[in-house]
Amino acid sequence: MQFVDLAAQLATIRESVDRRIKQVLDHGNFILGPEVKELEKKLAEFAGVKHCISCASGTDALLLPLMAYGVGPGDAIFTTPFTFIATAEVISLLGATPVYVDIDPNTFNIDPVKLRQAIEDLKSGRKPTPQFPDGLQPKGIIAVDLFGLAADYDAINAVAGEHGLFVIEDAAQSFGASYKGKMAGSLADVAATSFFPAKPLGCYGDGGAVFTNDDTLATVVESLRVHGKGKDKYDNIRIGINGRLDTLQAAILLSKLEIFKKEIEMRQQVAARYSAGLKSVVKVPHVPDGYTSAWGQYSIISDRKNKLMANLQEAKIPTAVYYPRPLHIQTAFAFLGYKEGSMPVSEQSSATIFSLPMHPYLNTEDQKKIISCIDKLS
Ligand SMILES: Cc1ncc(COP(=O)(O)O)c(C=O)c1O
């Protein structure tokens, strides 16, 4: 059994993928070829935003808007510690400082009440730890749609508006999800997604995309993606990066996009079967009213996590822990001085959470096996 079965997916789209790859090999425009533009247009339509700028990874998709907003030393960016390192790494990479805000225990996403408090604290000169630089100015927020479930953007955007901060939606795990009738990628000032192969919409390598309705921001991100280009890449008007998506990856994504809506529906069925079978034995994911998850992961909470994971492993059922250690206590962020106990919900979640195989092609027989393996131990 696979944790994410890319071979089963490929079997359904093989002809289309082969055809599109051949087209790229035939026309030879490997960098920013026609497939890249076609993909960007289709992705923008899918997310319901004006601009999609594809890029080389989900990490670059976070870095580029931060660069476009001019984030640097002295800036505080508020984010969740219960996420993949990339979310916060890009903040530090630019010399700015991540300020961690603990999560809601039911959604695992940033808690808007604690977010407001953290912003107000910093503004009144109360630093999260003594090691924090003095005089940090709140500049923006990166909210993460963890496991495919959108964060609470009505509340987050309202807090941001009160304090004049920008909001980036880290939709790396949530492309295809919806929140109160709007699609992931359209929920904040700007959004970033990842096309890492295991993501809901994944390519066959690294890839990502930025989404926004802001014309100026889109123009700057597009320039930053190609070495800060002006008229062309030999007219350099700002410091940028090489952050382009390969034409071959765009071609692959175009094939996958054809079946993506159906796959998101299939993920709902897989998740519903899990929740029906497991809700009386472990804490299953909570999807608030008005939300649809893209089910990037199906993660459960149990005090008997280690025993359950060992038994599943014995039955050759793969599992994974997202995330074994929250970012505020990762070695890379030791310089910020956060201590264990400072983000109790994230820490408790790390200790008790693990994820089950999740992909659109997971069949009922395999799911029954997984559910009964958990059921008999609980
Ligand atoms: C929440 C989150 N943000 C950002 C990223 C970075 O994406 P990539 O691996 O494409 O750089 C990931 C990827 O795992 C992620 O899960």
Side-chain angles (χ1 to χ4, degrees), residues 45-58:
E45 271 165 27
F46 190 94
V49 296
K50 237 167 126 181
H51 305 282
C52 166
I53 305 103
S54 63
C55 60
S57 68

Side-chain angles (χ1 to χ4, degrees), residues 111-284:
D111 182 331
V113 176
K114 292 179 182 154
L115 173 64
R116 180 191 299 278
Q117 191 60 54
I119 297 167
E120 287 174 2
D121 283 351
L122 198 72
K123 278 193 153 173
S124 349
R126 285 189 294 276
K127 301 195 291 184
T129 76
Q131 281 91 330
F132 262 67
D134 289 324
L136 280 182
Q137 292 305 317
K139 174 106 178 184
I141 298 162
I142 305 182
V144 178
D145 304 341
L146 202 72
F147 304 145
L149 184 76
D152 186 357
Y153 288 96
D154 280 355
I156 295 165
N157 290 334
V159 176
E162 282 167 36
H163 292 282
L165 310 183
F166 66 74
V167 181
I168 299 180
E169 175 190 1
D170 183 343
Q173 303 181 9
S174 66
F175 198 68
S178 68
Y179 170 84
K180 303 185 183 180
K182 291 168 76 181
M183 298 302 284
S186 72
L187 304 176
D189 296 309
V190 55
T193 199
S194 163
F195 302 128
F196 185 82
K199 296 289 191 253
L201 180 63
C203 56
Y204 291 149
D206 278 308
V210 178
F211 297 86
T212 187
N213 286 317
D214 181 331
D215 298 342
T216 312
L217 193 78
T219 307
V220 177
V221 166
E222 211 178 339
S223 159
L224 288 167
R225 175 181 72 168
V226 185
H227 304 288
K229 77 179 170 76
K231 287 194 302 293
D232 56 54
K233 78 170 174 177
Y234 302 108
D235 172 34
N236 309 108
I237 57 174
R238 51 176 68 82
I239 299 299
I241 61 171
N242 175 359
R244 301 168 299 227
L245 179 73
D246 290 348
T247 309
L248 275 169
Q249 298 302 343
I252 289 156
L253 285 163
L254 282 168
S255 291
K256 292 210 186 186
L257 198 54
E258 285 167 18
I259 55 163
F260 186 55
K261 263 203 182 118
K262 175 144 177 273
E263 285 191 340
I264 289 289
E265 279 162 27
M266 291 158 81
R267 285 175 186 271
Q268 306 309 317
Q269 289 159 19
V270 172
R273 290 199 296 262
Y274 266 145
S275 292
L278 293 172
K279 66 175 187 282
S280 57
V281 285
V282 293
K283 185 176 169 198
V284 297

Side-chain angles (χ1 to χ4, degrees), residues 81 100 102 128-132 326-330 333-344 346-347:
Y100 291 116
D102 210 358
T129 76
Q131 281 91 330
F132 262 67
L327 299 186
H328 66 290
I329 45 174
Q330 286 282 358
F333 290 112
F335 68 95
L336 293 174
Y338 283 102
K339 296 279 176 285
E340 233 164 279
S342 57
M343 302 279 146
S346 298
E347 290 164 35

